[in-house]
Amino acid sequence: MKRIIASALLPVALLLGADAAFADQPRPGVLKKHETTPGKKYEPSHDVLKEQKMTEPGVMPGVPALSAEEFERGKQIYFQRCAGCHGVLRKGATGKPLTTNVTKEFGYEYLRDFITYGSPAGMPNWGTSGDLTNADIEVMAKYLLNEPPQPPEFGMKEIKATWKVIVPVDKRPKKQMNKLDLDNLFSVTLRDSGEIALIDGASKKIVEVIKTGYAVHISRLSHSGRYLYAIGRDAKVDLIDLWMDPPTTVAEIKVGAEARSVETSKAKGWGDKYAIAGAYWPPQYVIMNGDTLEPLKVVSTRGMTIDTQEFHPEPRVASIVASHFHPEFVVNVKETGQILLVNYEDLKNFRVATIDAERFLHDGGFDSTGRYFLVAANARDTVAVVDTKDRKLVKLIQTGKTPHPGRGANFVHPTFGPVWATSHLGDDSIAVIGTDPEKHPANAWKVVQTLTGQGGGSLFIKTHPKSKHIYVDTPLNPEAELASSVAVFTIGDLKQKEPKYKVLPIGQWSGIAEGVKRVVQGEFNKAGDEIWFSVWNAKDQESAIVVVDDKTLTKKTVIRDKRLITPTGKFNVYNTRSDVY
């Protein structure tokens, strides 16, 4: 069944940046209970700020008072369930504002009922799904009527206090000491255990499990491929030296209280020189030495939105990529809609070029030439294109509902030439965008074809230069059968008017009997002849990785290991450092 239930997706959408709704909501009398779908069974921790000490605001006249215990409980629930979408300060992020001038207009009873029953417009049914108790919901209704607490800032002093060099540079090996094929090594996020697993691409064996920050969002590789950088949602960056035997964490740092992105310098002559990490809270980015993580510069991203020109106190740093043409990082600021070209040639005489793109920037990747960066402004159903060579905005392209490309998929279309594609959280479409302004100018920077996939709830689309297939996952679809399988298009078939896809039952192939078995994020090996998928269950259930033969579209191997706790993202060393996707 090709449908998507917004209320089922929002627990995860809050984590991933999809648009949430606190508008067009029904009045209490028309609130309807939602079915409990597989999507309700996901148990995310959306934010780690619940651990931060915050000052309780004073009691406001005419507003239900919170006891100290209720305040702490409300703060914890809000930062676990709501802050990722509505913002730490409740001023609206990819979700609607929940400031007191808004919540007081609705009143306590409305808030209580709305939290309980949710809305088809996107608000989860926290009560009827069993995620929150009646007592919790009553606390939250009161909490939202009071002013939000202010989390602490995290400046250079606090950042430096967390910085540790565990193995100094002069104590590290001068050459690779292990016998691993590093280019075909996979870094796999073990989300709920706060670890990554390094898995050998040939033997499919776990080489090492390394403690990291909580819920690693991405792994990135230095230009040389020696150093692996992992960043957790708790804003902890771990620097892992892959030359050591075994690969070992050599430095660590926290760049804030919550974060998502890390990247390293890739311009010619600057490889391995610098690293950068972007934070959700405080909204800022930190430039560090590439081999020690010593913090060198911290820069706030607070500022004006590009459309209404209003000050936003919490514009979070979403994705970051490294330019191949200039010594610059491309930093995407979610709430203001700005793309920053951060030049790292001279950190004293610091230069940042600002490109006004579109609000709610999230994730994206380069075209096949590495020149053009395409990033989803997901709550605006738009993909922005930036020319990183000429350093300017090329185009804003309307796509389907809530594009979520990961890094996208580059391939040569049989009709339209070189293209880049994104799937969507909010509908079953796959937007194919032309990317060759020189040889195919008529097709460049527009949607040249829209494919129809299994359903909404897609997080990643994947292919490889040596593959003839395009893989689209749907892990957030409320239908368990769709969440545990992937759709595969054959590139040669795209010349047809309505190309068909083949469904691979990855969850079934895993051999795991329990759980929804959400299948997420395909990642190719270096050779491009096999693709790995995570079979992602709850932390108290068995998970696995299924390896698919790309040529035959059949199961090749299943990696089952008790240490694979909630595996999600997978990052092949060669493909990640070379921007192959």
Side-chain angles (χ1 to χ4, degrees):
M1 179 189 253
K2 295 177 181 177
R3 62 186 177 90
I4 195 165
I5 298 176
S7 64
L9 295 182
L10 256 289
V12 187
L14 298 180
L15 171 66
L16 296 162
D19 191 24
F22 202 76
D24 302 323
Q25 55 268 68
R27 306 306 296 178
V30 297
L31 289 170
K32 295 182 180 180
K33 295 183 178 181
H34 294 180
E35 296 178 359
T36 298
T37 68
K40 295 291 189 298
K41 302 303 183 183
Y42 176 67
E43 299 178 358
S45 293
H46 304 295
D47 200 293
V48 296
L49 287 172
K50 61 186 175 66
E51 305 299 337
Q52 298 294 313
K53 293 182 180 180
M54 301 183 192
T55 302
E56 181 177 355
V59 176
M60 299 173 59
V63 173
L66 288 162
S67 68
E69 291 78 12
E70 288 176 325
F71 172 77
E72 287 300 317
R73 180 58 180 157
K75 183 194 76 171
Q76 180 184 44
I77 293 171
Y78 182 80
F79 287 125
Q80 283 182 321
R81 303 290 187 180
C82 317
C85 196
H86 296 286
V88 171
L89 303 180
R90 305 207 317 240
K91 291 183 179 293
T94 47
K96 304 299 180 182
L98 293 176
T99 47
T100 53
N101 65 314
V102 174
T103 58
K104 286 164 70 175
E105 183 178 336
F106 290 111
Y108 170 80
E109 290 186 357
Y110 176 80
L111 292 171
R112 179 197 62 200
D113 292 345
F114 194 71
I115 295 168
T116 300
Y117 298 110
S119 124
M123 177 70 178
N125 54 329
W126 296 112
T128 56
S129 67
D131 288 309
L132 295 178
T133 66
N134 290 337
D136 284 338
I137 290 170
E138 290 174 3
V139 166
M140 286 308 299
K142 291 194 289 184
Y143 183 83
L144 293 176
L145 290 166
N146 284 273
E147 290 293 333
Q150 173 73 44
E153 297 296 325
F154 209 88
M156 182 60 82
K157 177 182 176 182
E158 290 78 15
I159 292 170
K160 278 194 171 181
T162 71
W163 173 47
K164 298 178 183 177
V165 176
I166 301 165
V167 182
V169 174
D170 61 1
K171 301 295 183 184
R172 299 175 197 170
K174 305 300 182 185
K175 62 180 181 179
Q176 183 179 339
M177 301 304 293
N178 56 60
K179 297 182 179 180
L180 298 173
D181 178 2
L182 294 184
D183 270 354
N184 202 29
L185 193 68
F186 287 74
S187 174
V188 179
T189 297
L190 306 181
R191 187 186 184 279
D192 290 338
S193 65
E195 299 169 319
I196 62 166
L198 299 179
I199 302 181
D200 178 63
S203 68
K204 314 297 189 292
K205 301 295 184 183
I206 295 177
V207 173
E208 196 73 17
V209 173
I210 299 174
K211 279 288 180 184
T212 59
Y214 172 73
V216 165
H217 189 238
I218 57 173
S219 296
R220 289 290 180 260
L221 278 300
S222 67
H223 187 262
S224 67
R226 172 177 183 168
Y227 291 115
L228 184 149
Y229 303 76
I231 189 165
R233 296 183 191 276
D234 57 359
K236 182 172 181 281
V237 181
D238 288 277
L239 175 62
I240 298 164
D241 187 348
L242 298 179
W243 280 11
M244 296 181 72
D245 188 15
T248 301
T249 300
V250 294
E252 62 181 40
I253 196 171
K254 272 177 65 69
V255 298
E258 186 187 4
R260 295 294 188 277
S261 52
V262 68
E263 183 58 288
T264 68
S265 51
K266 292 183 178 178
K268 186 176 181 180
W270 293 91
D272 293 24
K273 176 70 174 178
Y274 292 121
I276 183 174
Y280 267 25
W281 187 268
Q284 61 193 29
Y285 56 88
V286 180
I287 298 176
M288 303 161 283
N289 271 330
D291 56 2
T292 65
L293 299 184
E294 178 186 5
L296 304 173
K297 195 171 192 67
V298 56
V299 184
S300 173
T301 54
R302 290 182 172 100
M304 301 297 181
T305 60
I306 64 164
D307 46 8
T308 59
Q309 297 288 289
E310 294 176 299
F311 179 77
H312 200 295
E314 194 188 344
R316 302 174 290 178
V317 177
S319 54
I320 303 175
V321 297
S323 171
H324 298 276
F325 292 89
H326 302 284
E328 293 177 336
F329 294 116
V330 182
V331 177
N332 298 278
V333 185
K334 187 184 288 282
E335 279 71 34
T336 58
Q338 294 176 331
I339 297 175
L340 309 179
L341 302 181
V342 177
N343 189 288
Y344 49 76
E345 281 182 295
D346 186 348
L347 299 185
K348 292 292 184 183
N349 301 289
F350 196 52
R351 291 182 293 139
V352 178
T354 301
I355 296 174
D356 289 351
E358 179 60 284
R359 294 187 67 187
F360 312 115
L361 299 168
H362 190 60
D363 206 359
F366 286 107
D367 77 311
S368 59
T369 69
R371 173 174 176 173
Y372 299 97
F373 176 64
L374 298 93
V375 58
N378 53 19
R380 292 282 173 88
D381 306 335
T382 297
V383 168
V385 184
V386 171
D387 182 343
T388 63
K389 181 179 180 180
D390 289 347
R391 307 172 76 248
K392 64 182 182 180
L393 180 70
V394 175
K395 192 75 177 289
L396 297 176
I397 305 168
Q398 287 291 120
T399 65
K401 182 63 177 174
T402 320
H404 194 285
R407 301 201 118 186
N410 288 301
F411 58 95
V412 178
H413 193 285
T415 304
F416 302 110
V419 296
W420 178 93
T422 179
S423 52
H424 297 81
L425 268 168
D427 63 33
D428 59 6
S429 70
I430 296 104
V432 182
I433 297 171
T435 60
D436 184 6
E438 294 186 7
K439 296 182 179 179
H440 299 81
N443 303 328
W445 317 129
K446 63 182 180 182
V447 176
V448 295
Q449 186 175 25
T450 300
L451 309 176
T452 302
Q454 287 200 92
S458 176
L459 291 182
F460 298 100
I461 182 171
K462 201 71 176 181
T463 189
H464 187 278
K466 295 182 180 179
S467 173
K468 63 180 182 180
H469 298 118
I470 307 162
Y471 299 79
V472 183
D473 68 19
T474 43
L476 305 190
N477 195 285
E479 300 292 335
E481 184 177 351
L482 302 190
S484 64
S485 59
V486 298
V488 186
F489 291 87
T490 299
I491 293 173
D493 293 344
L494 300 188
K495 58 188 175 183
Q496 300 173 6
K497 185 176 181 180
E498 295 183 2
K500 304 298 182 183
Y501 57 81
K502 181 176 182 178
V503 176
L504 303 186
I506 304 294
Q508 178 183 329
W509 285 352
S510 72
I512 297 173
E514 61 183 344
V516 177
K517 301 183 290 292
R518 299 186 184 283
V519 173
V520 66
Q521 205 237 17
E523 174 72 337
F524 276 87
N525 62 346
K526 180 187 176 182
D529 58 9
E530 62 185 33
I531 182 168
W532 297 28
F533 287 97
S534 295
V535 180
W536 173 23
N537 264 334
K539 62 184 178 182
D540 58 349
Q541 297 174 321
E542 184 183 6
S543 293
I545 293 173
V546 173
V547 180
V548 175
D549 187 307
D550 177 65
K551 289 184 171 49
T552 63
L553 299 182
T554 57
K555 178 180 70 175
K556 189 171 184 178
T557 309
V558 179
I559 305 173
R560 295 174 72 171
D561 189 301
K562 64 181 180 180
R563 294 171 290 177
L564 286 178
I565 300 170
T566 58
T568 50
K570 297 167 299 304
F571 304 89
N572 174 268
V573 167
Y574 179 81
N575 293 338
T576 302
R577 72 182 177 91
S578 305
D579 289 318
V580 176
Y581 37 80

